[in-house]
Each structure stands twice: as C-alpha cells, then as structure tokens.
Amino acid sequence: MIIALVTKSPIYVLYVFGLYACIQLIDNNYIVPKIVGSKVKLNALVSIIAGDRGGCLMGIPGMFLSIPLIAVLKVILDRIEPLKPWGFLLGIPCRHHKKLPCERSPASEPAQKCE
C-alpha cells in the first residue's frame, strides 16, 4: 500500500486494500477450511483461526505453514492420553491411524513397553 501511495494517486491505496481484503476473505473462509482443513481432519474454525494467526505472525508463508503445524500438534495430542480432549477439540478423531506397537488395544494381550 505504501508503494501505491508513493507512486500513484491516493485512490490506488483503497484499491490495494480492497484487493488484499478480498483475497484474505476468500482464503480464510473458503480455501483453508474446505480444502486444506478437510484433508487433515481439522475443525473448520480451527483452520480459520490458524490461517489468520499464521498470517498475522509470518504473512503469506505463515498462512500456509499454520495448517500443517496444527495438524502435527493434533496428532501429538491424539497420541498422549491426558491430552486427547484437546486433540478432539482441534478436529475429527481419525479412525484410520495405525496403532503404535506400544499402544494397548482392549482385546489383545498386554502392550509392549515403549523405548
């Protein structure tokens, strides 16, 4: 916007601001929750908040990196028993995850020790 203000008339600042707001609206409300959030099984609201906060912290790269980071955090929270409610808040529980060899399943013999 500063470049538009310095090189063109002040009306171009409004054009740049409007274009930026429109791109931000489309990205945060449609692209992130519908496409990216559904693939990593994150809650749509969590996807929107993560994209917004990532954009505030690091700009456009932060918007793209925030969803994978939240997805990794969700997997970690889903694997730690006391933190499973937090993982549930971040998104849909994944039923297709393979169990680790050290996890206990109800119908099997006692679990092996994790090393």
Side-chain angles (χ1 to χ4, degrees):
M1 285 195 292
I2 295 172
I3 294 174
L5 183 62
V6 172
T7 60
K8 301 282 186 176
S9 65
I11 192 70
Y12 284 96
V13 174
L14 294 176
Y15 293 152
V16 171
F17 180 76
L19 181 66
Y20 182 74
C22 181
I23 291 171
Q24 195 78 356
L25 177 80
I26 291 170
D27 182 53
N28 284 339
N29 291 324
Y30 297 106
I31 295 173
V32 171
K34 300 289 186 222
I35 297 172
V36 179
S38 67
K39 295 297 180 194
V40 293
K41 305 295 184 208
L42 288 177
N43 185 343
L45 181 62
V46 171
S47 298
I48 291 170
I49 292 171
D52 184 51
R53 296 296 102 197
C56 288
L57 291 175
M58 294 174 34
I60 293 174
M63 291 168 69
F64 289 113
L65 291 175
S66 62
I67 300 296
L69 289 174
I70 294 295
V72 168
L73 179 67
K74 181 189 177 324
V75 169
I76 291 170
L77 293 175
D78 284 343
R79 297 284 184 180
I80 300 172
E81 190 63 38
L83 299 177
K84 279 189 178 182
W86 291 103
F88 181 76
L89 285 176
L90 289 180
I92 305 164
C94 296
R95 305 224 186 271
H96 64 276
H97 284 309
K98 293 181 179 177
K99 290 195 176 230
L100 295 175
C102 62
E103 288 185 11
R104 184 174 295 206
S105 60
S108 68
E109 68 258 1
Q112 302 170 356
K113 290 186 179 180
C114 291
E115 296 177 12

